[in-house]
Amino acid sequence: MDIESIREYCLSFPLTSEDMAFGEDYLLLRVGGKIFVCLGLVRDDYVVVKCDPDYAIELRDRYPEIRPAWHWNKRYWNELSMHGSLSDSMVKALIHHSYVQVAGNLTRSVRKQIPAYMLDDTGRIGL
């Protein structure tokens, strides 16, 4: 997947916005004002996503393209290399997982604006 495809996929989610609060080198995708994806624009070979801590460790152990995200809380944030063997469906699944992780911590009134099917994360792939 390229950066533009990832951006479009993220923007298709309810309550998603984008900004460049960290500077022109990074595009941040947010749900309800909270970051769920960071795209590196200068070095466009990685995507940072939030992950359940136990699942993050399992993914890192299994896929060399998934590692703790640099300058992010390594317990929760993974960096996905776009130059490895991760399939587009795997990248999309991890982006959706990140969205669910972040949206699940929003206030109830904001979560009610998100369709229930978007908050379903039972289809974890890769393990």
Side-chain angles (χ1 to χ4, degrees):
M1 282 186 91
D2 63 29
I3 295 295
E4 188 57 32
S5 298
I6 293 171
R7 178 184 167 271
E8 289 174 12
Y9 179 67
C10 292
L11 290 173
S12 72
F13 295 171
L15 302 179
T16 298
S17 62
E18 63 183 335
D19 64 68
M20 298 177 95
F22 291 172
E24 294 179 13
D25 295 346
Y26 305 96
L27 179 65
L28 305 175
L29 286 300
R30 300 173 185 261
V31 55
K34 304 291 184 181
I35 298 169
F36 73 98
V37 169
C38 175
L39 301 173
L41 301 178
V42 172
R43 203 186 93 211
D44 66 350
D45 60 345
Y46 71 94
V47 177
V48 175
V49 294
K50 191 166 188 180
C51 195
D52 169 80
D54 295 328
Y55 189 40
I57 291 168
E58 292 175 41
L59 289 166
R60 293 171 194 166
D61 288 345
R62 182 156 182 188
Y63 298 96
E65 302 88 359
I66 301 176
R67 58 189 174 269
W70 189 59
H71 282 300
W72 294 77
N73 184 328
K74 288 158 184 46
R75 178 171 160 85
Y76 299 100
W77 293 89
N78 279 338
E79 184 175 297
L80 314 177
S81 171
M82 297 292 96
H83 295 297
S85 62
L86 294 178
S87 67
D88 289 357
S89 61
M90 177 75 166
V91 172
K92 285 182 176 181
L94 293 173
I95 289 170
H96 180 255
H97 175 73
S98 181
Y99 180 88
V100 170
Q101 292 294 300
V102 174
N105 289 321
L106 297 172
T107 64
R108 184 177 304 147
S109 62
V110 175
R111 279 195 320 267
K112 283 183 179 182
Q113 298 175 51
I114 300 172
Y117 73 88
M118 284 300 301
L119 298 176
D120 178 20
D121 192 34
T122 57
R124 289 186 184 174
I125 88 170
L127 300 175

